[in-house]
């Protein structure tokens, strides 16, 4: 069995990073679109004594924000040059999906269920920051190949 040259693995890694970035950008744009559409109905959705649900959704997003970093760090430990395209992709996409869940829950709860524009805006900022921080790093290839 012939060992693949490092250049082939590096190109495979760059393609994987670009796919991850594209997916991350698409998820982030989707969150922004949902937030903007929710602004149209936020004023008409207000329920008395329902603020605890708004707060819980925001706190859940903060917990998920930190959970995604732990999850990504744990999954990146399993990446090596043999499984780089699959393992590195999963190490970013799974935290993206978890962050997306938390963000959608927070934004929809705070705009569509019980209008709270402040919490929804904080939720959007936290989720966009989490998506950007979880973006892949092209210099990571040097860590696993060196």
């Amino acid at each position: 069995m012939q060992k693949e040259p490092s250049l082939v693995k590096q190109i495979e890694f760059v393609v994987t990073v670009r796919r991850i970035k594209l997916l991350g950008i698409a998820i982030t744009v989707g969150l922004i679109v949902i937030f903007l559409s929710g602004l149209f109905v936020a004023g008409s959705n207000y329920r008395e004594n329902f603020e605890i649900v708004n707060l819980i959704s925001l706190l859940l997003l903060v917990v998920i924000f930190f959970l995604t970093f732990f999850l990504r760090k744990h999954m990146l430990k399993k990446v090596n040059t043999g499984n780089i395209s699959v393992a590195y992709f999963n190490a970013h996409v799974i935290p993206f999906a978890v962050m997306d869940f938390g963000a959608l829950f927070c934004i929809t709860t705070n705009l569509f269920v019980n209008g709270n524009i402040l919490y929804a805006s904080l939720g959007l900022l936290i989720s966009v920051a989490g998506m950007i921080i979880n973006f892949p790093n092209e210099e990571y290839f040097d860590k696993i190949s060196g």
Side-chain angles (χ1 to χ4, degrees), residues 92-139:
H92 287 84
V93 172
I94 292 173
F96 280 175
V98 173
M99 180 63 71
D100 187 42
F101 164 75
L104 286 174
F105 182 71
C106 181
I107 291 169
T108 57
T109 300
N110 287 300
L111 290 178
F112 294 100
V113 175
N114 189 29
N116 189 327
I117 295 174
L118 176 65
Y119 284 1
S121 300
L122 286 172
L124 180 68
L125 290 175
I126 290 168
S127 59
V128 169
M131 293 295 288
I132 291 171
I133 293 170
N134 276 321
F135 260 45
N137 186 357
E138 291 186 11
E139 287 80 37

Side-chain angles (χ1 to χ4, degrees), residues 40-94:
F40 290 113
V41 297
S44 63
N45 294 333
Y46 184 75
R47 293 186 171 94
E48 291 288 327
N49 302 322
F50 211 66
E51 292 83 16
I52 191 71
V53 175
N54 295 63
L55 183 61
I56 289 172
S57 69
L58 185 63
L59 292 176
L60 179 66
L61 178 61
V62 171
V63 169
I64 287 174
F65 177 82
F66 291 108
L67 176 71
T68 59
F69 299 127
F70 171 76
L71 186 61
R72 183 183 69 152
K73 184 178 178 181
H74 177 70
M75 292 180 77
L76 283 175
K77 290 179 183 176
K78 298 176 182 176
V79 176
N80 58 44
T81 54
N83 67 1
I84 195 163
S85 65
V86 174
Y88 193 74
F89 185 79
N90 289 341
H92 287 84
V93 172
I94 292 173

